[in-house]
Amino acid sequence: GAVVSQHPSWVICKSGTSVKIECRSLDFQATTMFWYRQFPKQSLMLMATSNEGSKATYEQGVEKDKFLINHASLTLSTLTVTSAHPEDSSFYICSAAGLGTDTQYFGPGTRLTVL
Amino acid sequence: GQQLNQSPQSMFIQEGEDVSMNCTSSSIFNTWLWYKQDPGEGPVLLIALYKAGELTSNGRLTAQFGITRKDSFLNISASIPSDVGIYFCAGNSGNTPLVFGKGTRLSVIA
């Protein structure tokens, strides 16, 4: 149980394009989903928290207009990196938590490379 | 804000040895979680702790939620090569987001 998937697992795009990453909870309903980014040899940095049906809460320093988050259902959240630039290249990981629990289950991550 | 101090940063051990790593927080936590991350993959939950003093095992792994609620440790017994990876502690209090430690990079020498 508690499986979270991400798609795509990796993506290469040109500078200026937008990239959408999907995060799905496969066997449970996730009232809250989280988006992290991770640079090499560093810990996870929380970007935003999203609750189903409401606007995401972004961490300080994360541009909400650049990283668009949609949590349209209890099993799907999407992160869209708009007008991507090389400095946006990173490993993006989502996690999901069920109702009333703090335990987060992580997806396998998406490696984004912006040329 | 909440801060987590995870130590050691890295460990090199011989196969078969036991391993211990720990995390301390600057404030009281209600939840402690331990994850393992392999290169290029997302973290995988190893053990979840919800009560002060709780001691939980998962195979060769044992973790404890400190009595003060400000610390937790993870032990791995009889390490094997597949234990290699980065181990993260994480915790929070109430409805605050999880705070992650900086990770312990474990290398196992066969």
Side-chain angles (χ1 to χ4, degrees):
Chain A
V3 179
V4 177
S5 70
Q6 269 183 254
H7 177 80
S9 54
W10 58 270
V11 57
I12 302 173
C13 69
K14 291 182 179 179
S15 185
T17 60
S18 294
V19 174
K20 179 186 283 189
I21 303 170
E22 291 186 349
C23 178
R24 294 180 185 271
S25 57
L26 299 184
D27 53 0
F28 67 104
Q29 293 187 324
T31 50
T32 308
M33 286 186 169
F34 305 84
W35 287 96
Y36 296 82
R37 64 188 297 181
Q38 186 179 34
F39 293 104
K41 297 187 178 181
Q42 293 190 19
S43 188
L44 291 81
M45 291 173 45
L46 180 65
M47 298 175 66
T49 302
S50 75
N51 291 293
E52 186 265 338
S54 62
K55 290 184 178 180
T57 302
Y58 290 81
E59 294 299 300
Q60 193 172 8
V62 178
E63 299 176 56
K64 62 180 182 180
D65 294 329
K66 180 167 184 62
F67 298 99
L68 301 178
I69 292 172
N70 184 282
H71 192 160
S73 76
L74 286 173
T75 59
L76 173 64
S77 177
T78 61
L79 167 68
T80 302
V81 183
T82 62
S83 187
H85 291 283
E87 59 265 29
D88 298 324
S89 299
S90 188
F91 192 52
Y92 291 86
I93 313 173
C94 73
S95 69
L99 179 64
T101 175
D102 291 325
T103 304
Q104 293 180 27
Y105 297 91
F106 285 85
T110 297
R111 181 157 305 280
L112 171 64
T113 301
V114 185
L115 303 177
Chain B
Q2 295 175 327
Q3 297 182 14
L4 274 187
N5 182 29
Q6 184 173 352
S7 65
Q9 281 188 313
S10 62
M11 303 178 72
F12 289 84
I13 61 169
Q14 293 280 347
E15 183 178 358
E17 287 184 353
D18 296 343
V19 173
S20 185
M21 59 193 78
N22 69 85
C23 278
T24 57
S25 68
S26 57
S27 56
I28 291 174
F29 279 179
N30 292 338
T31 300
W32 280 101
L33 306 171
W34 284 93
Y35 293 89
K36 182 192 177 199
Q37 186 178 27
D38 291 328
E41 298 183 16
V44 174
L45 181 66
L46 299 174
I47 294 178
L49 303 162
Y50 301 106
K51 289 171 52 178
E54 181 180 356
L55 182 71
T56 299
S57 293
N58 177 7
R60 293 178 296 106
L61 278 62
T62 302
Q64 184 161 30
F65 193 140
I67 289 291
T68 65
R69 295 170 62 190
K70 289 186 176 183
D71 63 304
S72 177
F73 71 76
L74 174 71
N75 286 344
I76 305 173
S77 63
S79 60
I80 59 178
S82 62
D83 291 333
V84 166
I86 303 175
Y87 292 80
F88 290 102
C89 63
N92 71 350
S93 54
N95 295 319
T96 57
L98 274 180
V99 178
F100 282 83
K102 293 188 175 181
T104 296
R105 186 179 296 272
L106 179 63
S107 300
V108 179
I109 303 168

